[in-house]
């Protein structure tokens, strides 16, 4: 986590924090956890805050769920499962007390999904929809419930219905209207409806207070991503620059900007942006890994091969530390496979991707990297000329996540390598529709 005080003030800061902790409620600690997670990108800070919240309110299912999700983000599946089970226990108690608690049914669906109990998860979410529908039949102008309904509908893959519910929440002036517009833009972009998605992102900007820097950065980031997917790269760069004017130290915007600069063949500027992101990341986690790999890609594209290999080796050093901390960190193994692939060590990359798949908790868990690992394995197999195996790997990736453009592109390449040109062309079209770029 970023240092906030100079050494001379540490003792005073510690005394102040101890005094503050005595007065903070579980809700205060929960808000602090969200702030650490979303504003400071600090998993450690978020976990400490949610631990404090659970200490003060040990039967609160939502707090246990947040704690579990942070463990997932940190790649600690074992601790996450323990916390999910605690969350499930207290959710069941809440539902015994009030079987018509739609929020509890929704929570139950999220928890069961994370525990790979998808059939039960779907049943819980359907029950939440039933209760929310009853609430809305009694009060159709309840914007907050329209937003919750939309969130559950997304998890049931009922996207058009979700968009309609989000639109109702905006119409009814829900306190989450800005978030509703952001999500609409994301859903439309996923469907390749970029012009409509950009209209929704502009609506989200209009609904967001200019004083709320964090939400402004979020909306600008999504708008920039949509423009990137639509291959409107110069406009995307302008949007990320606008986000960085709000917060020049925002590493998410820096990473997006660096990627767009690379796509624009502005390799030196891209390398500089990735380097700045590396310097901003204080922890040796996957953020830094991705920055090193991105820097290596920009260097390689500019013909600076030796420097690129050094960047990939730096990424591997970070990854090995993560794997030493947790040998079952599926994302770390997937990142290792990517780095090895970039270094043309294809057999070793396949071994890393296989390990990622082996330890992955399942496609519905937050920490899962299984679709990316299958796609990465397919890429490595293609390089080795093992085209039938590559095709199967890409099929596995698509089965797990049908919107993986990289997997569709790889499938097309494998099919063409096997002489199946028509099927390959169709896969390429799917990849392009999903925003795949070289």
């Amino acid at each position: 986590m970023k240092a906030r005080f100079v050494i001379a003030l540490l003792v005073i800061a510690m005394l102040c924090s101890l005094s503050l902790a005595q007065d903070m409620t579980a809700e205060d600690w929960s808000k602090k956890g969200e702030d650490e997670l979303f504003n400071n990108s600090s998993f450690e800070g978020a976990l400490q805050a949610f631990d404090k919240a659970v200490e003060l309110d040990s039967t609160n299912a939502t707090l246990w769920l947040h704690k579990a999700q942070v463990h997932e983000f940190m790649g600690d599946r074992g601790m996450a499962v323990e916390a999910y089970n605690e969350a499930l226990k207290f959710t069941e108690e809440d539902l015994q007390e009030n079987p018509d608690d739609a929020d509890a049914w929704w929570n139950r669906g999220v928890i069961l999904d994370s525990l790979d109990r998808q059939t039960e998860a779907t049943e819980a979410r359907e029950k939440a929809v039933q209760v929310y529908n009853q609430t809305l039949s009694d009060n159709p102008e309840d914007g907050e419930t329209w937003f919750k309904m939309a969130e559950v509908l997304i998890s049931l893959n009922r996207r058009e219905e979700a968009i309609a519910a989000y639109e109702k929440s905006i119409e009814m002036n829900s306190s989450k209207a800005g978030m509703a517009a952001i999500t609409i833009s994301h859903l439309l972009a996923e469907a390749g409806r970029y012009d409509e998605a950009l209209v929704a992102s502009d609506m989200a900007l209009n609904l967001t207070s200019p004083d709320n820097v964090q939400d402004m950065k979020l909306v600008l980031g999504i708008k920039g991503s949509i423009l990137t997917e639509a291959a409107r790269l110069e406009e995307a760069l302008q949007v990320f620059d606008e986000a960085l004017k709000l917060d020049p130290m925002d590493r998410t915007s820096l990473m997006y900007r660096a990627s767009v600069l690379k796509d624009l063949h502005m390799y030196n500027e891209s390398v500089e942006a990735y380097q700045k992101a590396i310097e901003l990341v204080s922890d040796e986690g996957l953020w830094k890994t991705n920055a090193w790999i991105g820097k290596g890609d920009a260097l390689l594209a500019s013909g600076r091969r030796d420097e690129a290999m050094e960047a990939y080796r730096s990424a591997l050093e970070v990854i090995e530390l993560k794997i030493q901390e947790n040998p079952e960190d599926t994302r770390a193994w997937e990142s290792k496979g990517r780095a090895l692939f970039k270094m043309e060590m294809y057999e070793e990359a396949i071994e890393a991707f296989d390990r990622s798949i082996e330890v992955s908790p399942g496609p519905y868990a937050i920490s899962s990297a299984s679709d990316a690992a299958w796609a990465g394995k397919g890429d490595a197999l293609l390089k080795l000329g093992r085209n039938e195996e590559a095709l199967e790997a890409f099929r596995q990736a698509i089965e797990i996540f049908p919107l993986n453009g990289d997997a569709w592109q790889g499938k097309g390449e494998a099919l063409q390598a096997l002489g199946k040109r028509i099927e390959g062309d169709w896969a390429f079209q799917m990849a392009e529709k999903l925003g795949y770029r070289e």
Side-chain angles (χ1 to χ4, degrees), residues 8-17:
L9 296 177
L10 276 177
V11 174
I12 297 174
M14 289 172 64
L15 289 172
C16 290
S17 65

Side-chain angles (χ1 to χ4, degrees), residues 173-184:
N173 294 314
S174 163
S175 64
K176 300 288 183 65
M179 185 57 67
I182 290 171
T183 311
I184 289 172

Side-chain angles (χ1 to χ4, degrees), residues 345-401:
M345 301 171 67
Y346 302 126
E347 294 286 1
E348 294 88 342
I350 290 170
E351 291 178 8
F353 288 131
D354 279 340
R355 181 60 178 156
S356 177
I357 294 164
E358 180 185 342
V359 300
S360 178
Y364 296 95
I366 293 172
S367 60
S368 177
S370 52
D371 71 297
W374 276 113
K377 179 178 180 178
D379 287 333
L381 288 165
L382 269 182
K383 290 292 186 180
L384 294 172
R386 294 158 61 179
N387 301 321
E388 289 281 3
E389 294 173 80
L391 180 59
E392 179 56 30
F394 292 126
R395 283 174 175 160
Q396 291 283 352
I398 291 166
E399 183 177 343
I400 293 167
F401 183 51

Side-chain angles (χ1 to χ4, degrees), residues 213-422:
V213 173
Q214 191 60 33
D215 283 358
M216 285 293 292
K217 289 191 300 181
L218 174 62
V219 180
L220 288 168
I222 290 175
K223 181 177 181 179
S225 298
I226 295 168
L227 288 164
T228 303
E229 290 178 27
R232 294 163 60 175
L233 300 178
E234 290 85 358
E235 295 171 78
L237 185 61
Q238 291 175 2
V239 171
F240 293 130
D241 283 341
E242 188 177 346
L244 286 166
K245 286 179 183 175
L246 295 174
D247 181 2
M249 310 300 280
D250 182 54
R251 63 187 185 183
T252 303
S253 300
L254 270 171
M255 292 280 279
Y256 276 132
R257 182 175 185 272
S259 179
V260 171
L261 286 166
K262 178 170 65 68
D263 291 340
L264 287 168
H265 308 294
M266 299 171 66
Y267 300 123
N268 291 336
E269 294 89 339
S270 177
V271 169
E272 290 175 7
Y274 278 122
Q275 183 59 39
K276 186 171 182 180
I278 290 166
E279 292 168 358
L280 282 175
V281 180
S282 58
D283 63 301
E284 297 293 317
L286 295 184
W287 269 97
K288 186 165 284 189
T289 297
N290 290 331
W292 276 118
I293 292 176
K295 181 180 178 180
D297 291 346
L299 287 164
L300 194 62
S302 66
R304 296 155 66 181
R305 179 180 173 78
D306 290 345
E307 293 174 78
M309 293 301 114
E310 187 59 38
Y312 296 140
R313 280 191 287 272
S314 294
L316 278 174
E317 290 175 7
V318 176
I319 295 165
E320 292 295 354
L321 289 174
K322 292 293 292 181
I323 291 173
Q324 286 176 22
E325 291 174 9
N326 180 7
E328 296 191 352
D329 188 334
T330 181
R331 287 180 175 176
W333 282 107
E334 188 273 333
S335 294
K336 181 175 182 177
R338 279 192 293 125
L340 290 166
F341 177 85
K342 303 284 186 181
M343 298 173 73
E344 301 179 3
M345 301 171 67
Y346 302 126
E347 294 286 1
E348 294 88 342
I350 290 170
E351 291 178 8
F353 288 131
D354 279 340
R355 181 60 178 156
S356 177
I357 294 164
E358 180 185 342
V359 300
S360 178
Y364 296 95
I366 293 172
S367 60
S368 177
S370 52
D371 71 297
W374 276 113
K377 179 178 180 178
D379 287 333
L381 288 165
L382 269 182
K383 290 292 186 180
L384 294 172
R386 294 158 61 179
N387 301 321
E388 289 281 3
E389 294 173 80
L391 180 59
E392 179 56 30
F394 292 126
R395 283 174 175 160
Q396 291 283 352
I398 291 166
E399 183 177 343
I400 293 167
F401 183 51
L403 301 180
N404 187 327
D406 291 339
W408 280 105
Q409 178 70 17
K411 182 179 179 180
E413 292 173 6
L415 286 165
Q416 288 211 335
L418 292 166
K420 300 178 180 180
R421 184 181 60 79
I422 295 174

